[in-house]
Amino acid sequence: MENINWSDLTFGYMKTDYNVRSYYRNGKWGDPEVTDSEQITMHMASTCLHYGQEAFEGLKAFKGKDGKIRIFRMRENALRMQASCRGIMMAELPVELFEKVVLEAVKRNERFVPPYESGASLYIRPLLIGTAPQVGVKPGNEYLFVVFVTPVGPYFKTGFKPTPYVILRGFDRAAPHGTGTIKVGGNYAASLVAGEIAHEKGYSAVLYLDAKEKKYIDECGPANFFGIKNNTYITPASTSILPSITNKSLMVLAEEIGLKVERRPIPVEELATLEEAGACGTAAVISPVSRIDDLDENKSYIFSKDGAPGPVSEKLYNKLRAIQYGDEADKYGWTTVL
Ligand code: PLP
Ligand code: COI
């Protein structure tokens, strides 16, 4: 603990002091339990292991200059986890219980919230899994909700620097009207092969196209996509992408700084007309895109030649971070102060 180098943190797991759990049994959720064990014991026939009854969330806590800890848009994550529960027939977790367990997990691990100056944050990982034994394909009747935390730095090694992305037309992450709009583990399993190919070729992540027509932009591996042109913030509307809370926040901030906002299908060719492009998400924050290579079509779209983020992306990034760290007034009520 004494020798954590806060400014050098990457996006990875570090053991903290406690995690907090609630069990769903006999039709109801139990009171939160605090434990220092990193292990879960479960039945080998648990529905999470066989039929993918598993959903997770990702949110962050930030330490401000004033020493206060702020959690960003926790309620939105609670609501999205409920949507995931409905999507794969798991017992729906009450919003209040989600919030209570998250707050307890952060409080119990306060000493792991990185100091303001480091620019790092505490990543909060809520997980909900089906633990009832079942061999037939049907939903179980027992669940475990657990929240652990871990201090993190930037998701992409370079932080707020433009990096390249790749379109790999031979891979899909999620089908239209499938599970792409909820945060279930299966979507991430489906993205591993393409993700590895992208990394081997030197790209930060895959930029997925819509699976049906391969005509429109979907999202960027573990983040949503946005583009900037003609003073407009443009982001895909799609039935196979995760509704990103960061993206939702950026749309509000974009309007605040005088941009128009468009949420609509974005044809791949439109990439050629964008002045800036970025990936956005809790882990990614804003990760500016330097270039997108459409390998199968032998095309490249270039957004940054000088290695610097675009001016609009930079403004949005600074504004979002200022609210998260408490440097700017929280006029939308997005943060929960511990
Ligand atoms: N898209 C995918 C597939 C993700 O995993 C994430 C991360 O949660 C996002 C988008 C960004 O969502 P959020 O801004 O809510 O973190
Ligand atoms: C997040 O941004 O919170 C994510 O969940 C992305 C990734 C680490 C899965």
Side-chain angles (χ1 to χ4, degrees):
M1 177 71 206
E2 286 65 34
N3 36 29
I4 295 181
N5 196 343
W6 300 107
S7 313
D8 283 347
L9 285 173
T10 55
F11 194 89
Y13 179 79
M14 180 189 294
K15 184 183 181 335
T16 55
D17 291 335
Y18 301 101
N19 60 87
V20 186
R21 306 175 182 198
S22 171
Y23 295 88
Y24 182 87
R25 292 186 192 115
N26 304 316
K28 54 177 196 295
W29 288 100
D31 289 337
E33 297 172 20
V34 177
T35 174
D36 62 1
S37 169
E38 291 171 283
Q39 311 297 324
I40 292 172
T41 303
M42 71 174 111
H43 198 288
M44 63 185 172
S46 292
T47 56
C48 67
L49 298 176
H50 296 259
Y51 303 127
Q53 275 202 307
E54 183 268 356
F56 67 99
E57 273 302 329
L59 63 163
K60 280 177 173 171
F62 303 85
K63 182 160 298 160
K65 222 182 263 174
D66 55 7
K68 289 184 180 153
I69 296 170
R70 290 171 177 80
I71 305 177
F72 190 66
R73 305 201 76 172
M74 171 169 59
R75 197 180 169 79
E76 291 291 327
N77 293 90
L79 292 169
R80 191 169 64 189
M81 180 159 261
Q82 290 191 322
S84 297
C85 290
R86 291 191 295 272
I88 57 170
M89 299 203 73
M90 300 198 290
E92 208 168 302
L93 185 83
V95 169
E96 299 68 36
L97 183 57
F98 180 100
E99 294 182 335
K100 193 172 173 184
V101 175
V102 166
L103 286 168
E104 188 70 29
V106 175
K107 269 187 207 142
R108 296 273 181 164
N109 295 290
E110 261 196 67
R111 67 191 189 98
F112 291 95
V113 184
Y116 172 80
E117 300 73 27
S118 67
S121 57
L122 187 76
Y123 187 69
I124 306 165
R125 173 53 64 86
L127 172 74
L128 204 161
I129 56 175
T131 51
Q134 193 98 276
V135 182
V137 182
K138 45 184 188 235
N141 57 3
E142 288 183 6
Y143 295 90
L144 164 62
F145 177 59
V146 49
V147 176
F148 69 79
V149 300
T150 190
V152 296
Y155 190 72
F156 299 117
K157 282 192 290 285
T158 47
F160 190 60
K161 284 247 182 65
T163 59
Y165 288 66
V166 65
I167 297 173
L168 298 170
R169 287 168 180 264
F171 296 89
D172 296 319
R173 165 187 177 276
H177 309 293
T179 55
T181 55
I182 55 175
K183 204 162 167 63
V184 297
N187 295 340
Y188 298 82
S191 75
L192 292 176
V193 173
E196 276 306 294
I197 294 173
H199 292 149
E200 276 164 19
K201 291 180 185 290
Y203 298 98
S204 282
V206 178
L207 179 66
Y208 287 97
L209 302 186
D210 81 281
K212 189 174 175 190
E213 297 187 85
K214 302 272 172 184
K215 264 190 172 161
Y216 303 100
I217 308 291
D218 248 2
E219 63 180 326
C220 292
N224 272 184
F225 176 84
F226 71 86
I228 306 290
K229 73 171 178 185
N230 304 331
N231 205 38
T232 309
Y233 179 99
I234 309 168
T235 192
S238 161
T239 53
S240 48
I241 65 175
L242 194 75
S244 155
I245 296 158
T246 311
N247 197 2
K248 196 170 160 177
S249 310
L250 291 175
M251 286 189 250
V252 172
L253 299 180
E255 280 192 339
E256 193 185 313
I257 63 171
L259 300 179
K260 277 186 289 183
V261 172
E262 292 178 9
R263 200 169 151 268
R264 58 166 171 83
I266 305 178
V268 190
E269 311 77 63
E270 195 175 338
L271 289 175
T273 67
L274 298 180
E275 295 151 17
E276 298 177 32
C280 63
T282 298
V285 194
I286 286 181
S287 297
V289 176
S290 60
R291 186 178 90 235
I292 296 168
D293 292 342
D294 187 346
L295 292 185
D296 308 288
E297 298 283 305
N298 224 347
K299 279 191 187 142
S300 274
Y301 304 92
I302 294 169
F303 307 101
S304 170
K305 291 198 194 87
D306 58 359
V312 178
S313 302
E314 183 151 14
K315 222 184 212 176
L316 288 169
Y317 176 86
N318 289 336
K319 211 161 167 64
L320 177 69
R321 301 276 282 179
I323 295 173
Q324 292 175 328
Y325 283 95
D327 291 334
E328 189 170 310
D330 175 23
K331 66 179 184 192
Y332 304 106
W334 285 345
T335 61
T336 304
V337 180
L338 221 66

